[in-house]
Amino acid sequence: MEAPNLDFLFYPRSVAVIGASNVPGKVGNAIMRSMTLRFDGKVYAVNVKGGEIEINGKKFPVYRSIKDIPDEVDVAVIAVPAKFVPDVIDECGEKGVKGAVVISAGFKEAGRADLEEEIVKRARKWGIRLVGPNCLGVTNLENGFDCNFNPPERQARPPFGKVAFMSQSGAFGAAILDWAANHKIGMSKFISLGNMADLDESDFMAYLGDDPKTGVITGYIEGVKDGRKFFNTAKEVTLKKPIIILKAGRTEAGAKAAASHTGSLAGSFKIYEAAFEQTGVLSAKSMRQLFNYAKALAMQKPAKGNRVAIVTNGGGAGVMMSDGLLESGMKLAELSEETNEKFRKDIEAGKLPAHMSYKNPIDVIGDAPSSRYEVAMRYALEDPNVDVLVVIALFQSPALDEGIVDAVAKMQEYGKPIVFVAPGGEYPHKMARNIELRGVPVYETVEDGVDAVYALVKYGEWLMENGRL
């Protein structure tokens, strides 16, 4: 399918907030606060009461109707009671608005499918594309366009980065934004899908597939609007960039809850699993797993095989990683005789300690400085039997110096994906940030590292099957 051009939704020159309010705590007030924090386009306040409101230290005249605004308006953000939305859509149409984000609830999810059909009918008459209703809106982390009504002191916004996220649940989407901000995961665009009366998950997948600012597409869905459209879109987009979906409603009880939440028909999870498998979509089982996958794929190239080498200064962590990888369908790389010979020679020459183990997992032992890590990582990556390298560093060891940061960064010259695992507290977290600034993803636990490798291998397999890697 041809991707819809939705740039007007994410890069508007001017926005009207319909239902803008001067009262703190009101949705229309919160949207105005979000819209005027970083967005450099024009923002207009609309409310039938008129007057003037002050937001973020700036005064705005309040227009009684969007039609009274003297300039052109690209996008309308609508936060008025549901019963008034159809007429507001007509006014937006007369004004020449291209897109409307309907924050208001009280439609299909509340048993008013007729009201939802009415706003779609009116939007189509004017050629307006709708987001929602019953949603948090959209956020573009690049330019500050943000109609999310959760205030920044309650819900942080992540830094700009490569991961786009769309969510059928506004509350879960808000939690994801907060969580991503806390974990310094950069995001490009956030879309709260709501009831998907017009634009649905497939439309946004297609758009994000062509978006140069997005490297990885992620989403929380309860059900898809059009199964065939989703299947065809996903199959096409995954050849360009990874799609990771957290599908809720996997159980019968969950499916019933989804129906009352956004009016979604969740359907059998087995059908979704089969569709994901056939279209190259990675299925995540938890929020944490979703972002474990996303971070790895945003920062590293997909793997060309499933043979993994491990370099660690803790034997136990190496064993746990081996178990996790094998249980996830990966293989421990069998190092070549040439690689074994390199290790043997260095041990004989006294460059490496005799008590270290160079069978995969390569255990450089707890007294390893960064120079020993560098040798082991280099030998592993030079081995043709290795597709992915996992580096585990227990930074609690006083022997491991900060040179490991540059040593790991240098290893990227081999062009093979690298995953770093650094369990622990404050000091490992500090080192992790420095390593990530150099382009290598770092994970807190062995289990998270297994997720990362799985994503890199699984997506690599899909691309190779389709001749794209």
Side-chain angles (χ1 to χ4, degrees), residues 238-239 277 279-280 282 297 301-308 328-331 387-388 453-469:
T238 51
L239 297 177
E277 189 68 34
T279 56
L282 285 168
L297 287 162
K301 292 176 181 173
K304 291 183 177 176
N306 65 353
R307 300 167 302 175
V308 187
S328 298
M330 309 297 112
K331 289 179 182 172
D387 301 307
V388 186
V453 174
Y454 176 84
L456 292 165
V457 169
K458 195 77 177 164
Y459 186 57
E461 283 174 357
W462 170 252
L463 292 180
M464 287 179 82
E465 278 170 27
N466 288 278
R468 298 296 178 100
L469 186 64

Side-chain angles (χ1 to χ4, degrees), residues 416-431:
K416 293 180 181 180
I418 301 169
V419 169
F420 201 100
V421 177
E426 193 178 330
Y427 184 70
H429 286 175
K430 176 191 152 194
M431 298 303 289

